[in-house]
């Protein structure tokens, strides 16, 4: 009986050790947050008229230091020029409300090797990170539809709740190469002609995310990071 118990203990210990070193290649999840806007109807406080954002993401995890993430997000934006100190030509005031859809790809760099287990790699259960990417924005406002490329950039922090479950907090600013995210009435208020770069609109997002990892790495193929 003692031999059987000893064998069962060894088997359990080896299984537990293998589980401790298990890592995964992908994760997927959802995010919720608060959005903000910078443009002709708001030039300073990005959360003066906060909106709601929601999205989904998919990550490829090549190693503990980086990730490649695909993101789809929808955001509500609004603003009112009556809140501004600047006086518009003719003394007019404008307000807008728009719905934005954002699809893009982002690169993430972890400042610490992120993960659980594999103690020889000195993995950290929590890490700050930075992200940069490229995407496309589709906005509807005042009955008009606008497509534009965008560049998101942001910082955040990730924490491993368990081996597969992660939570994160991220702040990102997205530059759009369009001046009509806030509608056509606000695209030329100061009579300064817009261009691909000049007078373009921005939107921001503070989001909380939950993701789940899957796709166990092969433990017998001598994977090298």
């Amino acid at each position: 009986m003692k031999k059987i118990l000893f064998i069962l203990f060894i088997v359990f210990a080896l299984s537990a050790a293998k589980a401790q070193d298990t890592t995964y290649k992908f994760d997927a999840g959802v995010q919720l947050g608060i959005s903000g806007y910078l443009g002709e109807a708001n030039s300073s406080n990005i959360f003066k008229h906060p909106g709601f954002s929601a999205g989904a993401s998919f990550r490829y995890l090549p190693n503990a230091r980086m990730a490649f993430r695909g993101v789809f997000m929808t955001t509500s934006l609004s603003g009112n020029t009556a809140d501004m100190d600047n006086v518009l030509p003719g003394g007019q005031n404008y307000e807008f409300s728009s719905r934005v859809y954002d699809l893009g790809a982002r690169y993430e760099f972890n400042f610490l090797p992120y993960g659980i287990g594999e103690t020889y790699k000195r993995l950290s259960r929590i890490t700050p990170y930075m992200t940069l990417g490229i995407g496309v924005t589709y906005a509807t406002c005042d009955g008009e539809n606008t497509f534009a490329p965008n560049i998101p950039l942001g910082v955040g922090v990730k924490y491993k709740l368990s081996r597969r479950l992660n939570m994160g907090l991220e702040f990102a600013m997205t530059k759009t190469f369009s001046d009509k995210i806030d509608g056509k009435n606000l695209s030329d208020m100061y009579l300064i002609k817009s261009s691909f770069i000049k007078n373009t609109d921005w939107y921001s997002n503070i989001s909380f995310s939950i993701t789940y990892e899957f796709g166990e790495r092969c433990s017998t193929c001598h994977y090298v990071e």
Side-chain angles (χ1 to χ4, degrees), residues 1 4 9 13 19 22 25 27 36 60 65 67 81 111 125 128 136 143 149 160 163 165 168 203-205 209 222:
M1 185 65 180
I4 294 175
F9 174 78
T22 298
K25 295 182 289 186
D27 83 7
Y60 168 57
R65 283 285 192 172
T81 60
F111 288 95
R125 196 164 187 165
V136 61
K160 272 199 167 293
R163 188 160 305 283
L165 199 60
Y203 52 88
S204 60
N205 188 47
S209 64
H222 305 289

Side-chain angles (χ1 to χ4, degrees), residues 11-214:
V11 171
F12 175 79
L14 291 175
S15 298
K18 181 181 182 299
Q20 287 296 314
D21 285 341
T22 298
T23 57
Y24 302 92
K25 295 182 289 186
F26 310 103
D27 83 7
V30 295
Q31 62 186 63
L32 296 174
I34 298 173
S35 59
Y37 151 84
L38 280 180
E40 285 83 358
N42 180 30
S43 58
S44 57
N45 186 349
I46 57 176
F47 293 110
K48 196 165 190 175
H49 294 274
F52 173 77
S53 67
S57 68
F58 175 86
R59 280 189 182 92
Y60 168 57
L61 311 169
N63 57 54
R65 283 285 192 172
M66 66 176 68
F68 297 94
R69 176 167 56 139
V71 180
F72 175 75
M73 181 174 63
T74 179
T75 300
S76 60
L77 303 178
S78 62
N80 191 332
T81 60
D83 299 332
M84 299 171 57
D85 295 330
N86 294 345
V87 177
L88 303 180
Q92 300 183 71
N93 286 317
Y94 296 99
E95 60 180 318
F96 80 94
S97 178
S98 66
R99 169 60 60 180
V100 170
Y101 300 91
D102 185 317
L103 178 65
R106 304 181 186 184
Y107 169 79
E108 293 179 2
F109 174 76
N110 301 326
F111 288 95
L112 298 172
Y114 182 60
I116 294 178
E118 298 178 305
T119 53
Y120 68 96
K121 294 182 182 178
R122 298 183 180 180
L123 299 181
S124 173
R125 196 164 187 165
I126 185 170
T127 181
Y129 69 92
M130 62 184 299
T131 181
L132 177 67
I134 189 169
V136 61
T137 295
Y138 170 68
T140 62
C141 183
D142 300 329
E144 298 287 329
N145 301 324
T146 300
F147 279 99
N150 69 50
I151 295 179
L153 60 157
V155 294
V157 61
K158 305 173 187 176
Y159 177 74
K160 272 199 167 293
L161 295 170
S162 65
R163 188 160 305 283
R164 293 194 181 207
L165 199 60
N166 310 273
M167 70 176 183
L169 183 66
E170 180 180 281
F171 171 72
M173 291 289 297
T174 300
K175 175 181 176 60
T176 67
F177 293 94
S178 172
D179 198 26
K180 296 183 179 180
I181 303 301
D182 47 15
K184 61 182 180 180
N185 290 330
L186 296 174
S187 62
D188 193 19
M189 293 194 312
Y190 298 104
L191 306 180
I192 299 174
K193 187 176 180 180
S194 300
S195 66
F196 186 70
I197 297 177
K198 186 172 61 178
N199 294 347
T200 56
D201 298 323
W202 293 68
Y203 52 88
S204 60
N205 188 47
I206 293 180
S207 62
F208 173 79
S209 64
I210 291 287
T211 64
Y212 180 79
E213 295 184 12
F214 60 97

